């Protein structure tokens, strides 16, 4: 895979001399008005300012034409995540196995001498899972941008080349992803405080805590949405321009400025598409899941619970897990691709990137 020469902010930019980087147009030789030439399209998108149809169409075209490097990389990353988490969980269990057995001995009572090591081991597994998931999702975002880099120019992208390129940019993308996650935690934290303040209001008969937290939620939610969209291009910048985290954030702010609502609307549309597809896949499985049999008179609680588990954890549960994994896999590729195409569109509009890409294609095309 080639490098990102001509994509970074250090490249000289200027508006194209004519439409889409071609010669100026105007009156034709016959005295009539000559329409602008169609924009070049060496890859999945035309090298011109993009509409919503081009952005979504280019995303789906990339997923179709470059399915092997895109989904192959994502499946390999998720498989590695499963192996890592299984290993960490096994090591954690082995380290506290004696304490777990002591807790489940007949007639045993809870003791902090046994419970504390178990809680520490559980917390370590949770923390390892959080960090591993963050790394895997950042890697998948970087792999999507690396694949799109070649897809825009119509060049092939191999699994190995995408893997190497994405791996080298994962630390920078991961740092940006952490900041975006912290931005999303603002409204989530406000919602948690709202839940706690509701119980305080019920217990104390005072609506002041609930009202203050509700006002905080009204302020924090639009602020988090504004910041998240403002930094939305940072992962693509970190991957495509080989930029550091802070540089990627600054670049994203400059590119989104003046196009916040457009970026928000198209990103929201992509999220709605993912949600609809997820519902279409999951709802039939939920309706097809058999209902547990009615409890027989005199049945014990354990027997009723066992019947419910049998009805919920059978072949239908396996289908549900497969469907959830496939929808998650598609979403993990689709959403970063939409954001990356939006990023390219903004650079075409603001920095004349179409001309640079056209020149890159013409230079690399073999002479006839």
């Amino acid at each position: 895979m080639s490098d990102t020469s001509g994509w970074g902010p250090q490249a000289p930019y200027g508006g194209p001399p004519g439409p889409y980087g071609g010669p100026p147009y105007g009156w034709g030789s016959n005295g009539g008005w000559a329409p602008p030439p169609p924009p070049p399209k060496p890859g999945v998108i035309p090298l011109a300012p993009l509409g919503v149809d081009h952005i979504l169409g280019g995303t789906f075209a990339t997923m179709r034409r470059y399915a092997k490097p895109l989904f192959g990389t994502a499946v390999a990353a998720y498989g590695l995540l499963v192996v890592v988490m299984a290993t960490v969980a096994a090591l954690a269990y082995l380290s506290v196995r004696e304490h777990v057995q002591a807790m489940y001995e007949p007639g045993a009572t809870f003791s902090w001498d046994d419970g504390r090591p178990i809680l520490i081991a559980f917390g370590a597994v949770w923390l390892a899972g959080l960090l591993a998931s963050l790394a895997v999702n950042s890697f998948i975002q970087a792999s999507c941008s690396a694949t799109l880099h070649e897809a825009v120019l119509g060049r092939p992208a191999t699994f190995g080349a995408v893997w190497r390129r994405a791996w080298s940019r994962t630390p920078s993308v991961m740092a940006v992803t952490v900041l975006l996650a912290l931005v999303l935690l603002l409204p989530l934290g406000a919602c948690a405080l709202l839940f706690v303040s509701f119980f305080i209001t019920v217990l104390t008969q005072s609506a002041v805590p609930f009202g203050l937290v509700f006002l905080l939620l009204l302020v924090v939610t639009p602020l988090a949405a504004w910041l998240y969209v403002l930094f939305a291009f940072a992962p693509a910048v970190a991957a495509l321009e080989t930029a550091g985290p802070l540089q990627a954030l600054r670049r994203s702010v400059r590119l989104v400025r003046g196009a916040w609502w457009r970026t928000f609307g198209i990103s929201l549309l992509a999220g709605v598409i993912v949600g609809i597809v997820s519902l279409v896949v999951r709802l039939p499985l939920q309706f097809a899941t058999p209902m547990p049999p009615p409890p027989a008179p005199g049945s014990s609680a354990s027997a009723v619970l066992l019947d419910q588990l049998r009805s919920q954890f059978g072949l239908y549960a396996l289908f549900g897990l497969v469907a959830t994994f496939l929808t998650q896999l598609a979403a993990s590729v689709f959403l970063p691709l939409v954001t990356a195409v939006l990023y390219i569109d903004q650079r075409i509009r603001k920095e004349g990137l179409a001309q640079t890409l056209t020149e890159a294609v013409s230079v690399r095309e073999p002479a006839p």
Side-chain angles (χ1 to χ4, degrees):
M1 181 178 296
S2 62
D3 59 16
T4 53
S5 176
W7 284 60
Q10 73 280 1
Y13 293 112
Y20 322 121
Y25 65 93
W27 293 102
S29 59
N30 58 355
W33 179 260
K41 188 179 179 183
V44 295
I45 58 172
L47 302 184
L50 305 176
V52 179
D53 54 339
H54 294 125
I55 292 173
L56 296 179
T59 300
F60 287 118
T62 305
M63 295 172 67
R64 183 176 65 255
R65 300 180 192 177
Y66 296 83
K68 289 183 179 180
L70 277 175
F71 294 106
T73 303
V75 169
Y78 281 128
L80 182 61
L81 175 63
V82 171
V83 172
V84 169
M85 290 310 303
T87 303
V88 171
L91 292 176
Y93 173 75
L94 291 176
S95 66
V96 296
R97 179 174 54 184
E98 296 179 356
H99 299 285
V100 173
Q101 292 175 350
M103 294 280 289
Y104 282 91
E105 287 181 354
T109 58
F110 179 79
S111 170
W112 276 112
D113 292 335
D114 294 320
R116 188 181 299 108
I118 295 175
L119 291 177
I120 293 175
F122 175 80
V125 172
W126 176 82
L127 181 61
L130 181 64
L131 294 176
S133 299
L134 177 62
V136 165
N137 289 328
S138 301
F139 175 80
I140 292 175
Q141 288 189 69
S143 68
C144 290
S145 297
T147 305
L148 185 65
H149 177 274
E150 305 304 311
V152 168
L153 300 177
R155 297 198 294 245
T158 62
F159 174 85
V162 169
W163 184 280
R164 290 189 298 271
R165 177 71 187 174
W167 182 256
S168 66
R169 300 312 306 157
T170 295
S172 183
V173 176
M174 186 174 175
V176 171
T177 305
V178 169
L179 179 61
L180 292 177
L182 292 177
V183 170
L184 290 179
L185 284 178
L186 292 176
L188 293 179
C191 288
L193 287 176
L194 188 68
F195 184 76
V196 173
S197 66
F198 173 77
F199 284 98
I200 295 177
T201 299
V202 172
L203 294 175
T204 62
Q205 303 296 322
S206 173
V208 174
F210 183 82
L212 291 177
V213 176
F214 182 74
L215 291 177
L216 177 65
L217 181 64
L218 292 181
V219 173
V220 166
T221 300
L223 174 63
W226 177 70
L227 289 174
Y228 189 84
V229 174
L230 207 60
F231 297 142
F233 295 158
V237 172
L240 290 174
E241 299 183 12
T242 62
L246 295 180
Q247 182 184 2
L249 293 172
R250 289 194 295 267
R251 284 279 294 155
S252 178
V253 171
R254 286 197 293 268
L255 290 172
V256 174
R257 187 177 294 126
W260 191 95
W261 284 107
R262 184 172 186 272
T263 305
F264 171 76
I266 296 177
S267 301
L268 180 63
L269 176 61
V272 170
I273 292 174
V274 170
I276 292 175
V277 172
S278 179
L279 285 177
V280 169
V281 172
R282 293 181 183 182
L283 283 180
L285 291 174
Q286 291 182 356
F287 284 117
T289 303
M291 296 295 295
S299 298
S300 62
S302 60
V304 174
L305 179 61
L306 183 60
D307 290 337
Q308 291 179 346
L309 291 177
R310 286 173 179 172
S311 63
Q312 298 296 322
F313 292 92
L315 186 60
Y316 294 94
L318 178 61
F319 287 153
L321 288 175
V322 172
T324 300
F325 173 74
L326 292 178
T327 53
Q328 174 63 29
L329 183 66
S332 66
V333 171
F334 177 73
L335 294 176
L337 279 178
V338 170
T339 303
V341 176
L342 266 171
Y343 152 82
I344 294 173
D345 173 53
Q346 281 303 109
R347 291 195 61 184
I348 288 175
R349 293 172 182 270
K350 289 191 171 185
E351 300 176 341
L353 183 62
Q355 182 179 3
T356 303
L357 296 179
T358 302
E359 293 172 354
V361 172
S362 61
V363 167
R364 288 176 172 84
E365 284 183 346

